[in-house]
Amino acid sequence: MESTRASDLKSFEDIYLTYFSGLYNYAFTIIKDTNEAKDVVSDVFMKLWEERNTRIIDLSLKAYLFKSVYNRCLNVLKHKKVNDKYENYLNHLKFLIEDERDYPLSGLIENELAEIIQQSINKLPQQCRSIFIMSRYDNMSHEEIAKKMKISINTVHTQIRRALGKLRIELKDFLPFLLFLFL
């Protein structure tokens, strides 16, 4: 059994050395970020290793790997687009709040909004909350958070995506009302 595992490891290592560079270059041309491209390719190889005994590859291995990288890159871009849209929305709200400071109720509304957002953030699971706060309030990059917490960048991405999803659900009833007040 040990020789089978060693054989699996050697085969995997050969596959990794053969395809990593080409897959990385391909991922980089799609997402234009060196760290994200490395993460995408590493995730694809990790999945390949984890599913080595159960995954049936109908295509050639090369085609399978490139298709997996392509799909993962699309997911990264989609996630980035959602994050950018959310950040633009928050920046717009911030602008509206700052622009409305001359009105008597703006301070009260701003305080109420801050309290509701904080309550929603406090409802997040501990790790998810910590990662979200480091990302949004401490302005730490995903890589910095991953190093600080000793977790993968992919985990950071996942936790921020979960936090944003939960906050979107938690705040969905309040945000349209807030926009109505300011517009």
Side-chain angles (χ1 to χ4, degrees):
M1 171 119 69
E2 186 63 38
S3 65
T4 302
R5 179 153 170 85
S7 172
D8 284 353
L9 193 54
K10 176 64 176 135
S11 295
F12 180 77
E13 189 176 297
D14 290 342
I15 292 168
Y16 182 87
L17 292 173
T18 301
Y19 294 108
F20 182 86
S21 180
L23 291 170
Y24 165 77
N25 289 332
Y26 180 59
F28 182 78
T29 62
I30 296 170
I31 56 181
K32 308 285 192 260
D33 181 297
T34 57
N35 291 328
E36 287 285 349
K38 287 177 187 175
D39 287 346
V40 163
V41 175
S42 295
D43 289 346
V44 167
F45 276 113
M46 181 65 78
K47 186 173 183 179
L48 179 67
W49 175 255
E50 289 171 350
E51 297 177 352
R52 68 188 178 281
N53 295 324
T54 57
R55 171 67 62 187
I56 297 172
I57 300 174
D58 295 333
L59 310 167
S60 73
L61 177 60
K62 181 178 181 179
Y64 169 80
L65 291 171
F66 275 88
K67 184 70 172 171
S68 296
V69 166
Y70 176 77
N71 290 334
R72 183 124 357 209
C73 285
L74 290 183
N75 288 340
V76 166
L77 291 174
K78 181 180 171 186
H79 177 67
K80 182 176 177 2
K81 185 176 178 182
V82 169
N83 275 349
D84 290 347
K85 185 176 178 181
Y86 182 73
E87 285 184 32
N88 287 338
Y89 178 70
L90 288 179
N91 287 336
H92 180 69
L93 282 179
K94 183 178 178 183
F95 171 77
L96 290 174
I97 289 169
E98 288 173 358
D99 194 44
E100 298 292 324
R101 291 198 190 274
D102 295 336
Y103 295 96
L105 291 178
S106 66
L108 180 63
I109 293 170
E110 185 177 338
N111 290 340
E112 184 178 341
L113 174 62
E115 184 177 323
I116 289 170
I117 291 172
Q118 190 58 50
Q119 288 172 357
S120 297
I121 290 170
N122 289 340
K123 289 180 183 178
L124 295 172
Q126 176 60 40
Q127 183 183 33
C128 188
R129 180 174 57 241
S130 297
I131 290 170
F132 181 79
I133 288 170
M134 284 187 264
S135 172
R136 296 306 191 260
Y137 291 106
D138 299 339
N139 294 318
M140 293 174 68
S141 71
H142 292 190
E143 187 174 61
E144 291 170 328
I145 295 168
K147 285 180 184 175
K148 181 175 182 174
M149 297 190 73
K150 297 179 175 115
I151 56 177
S152 73
I153 291 177
N154 198 37
T155 300
V156 173
H157 294 310
T158 300
Q159 291 298 321
I160 289 175
R161 185 175 63 246
R162 285 182 182 155
L164 292 174
K166 289 180 180 195
L167 290 174
R168 194 175 300 113
I169 290 168
E170 189 75 27
L171 299 171
K172 73 177 179 353
D173 295 332
F174 182 75
L175 291 178
F177 175 70
L178 180 64
L179 281 176
F180 175 74
L181 284 176
F182 287 119
L183 297 175

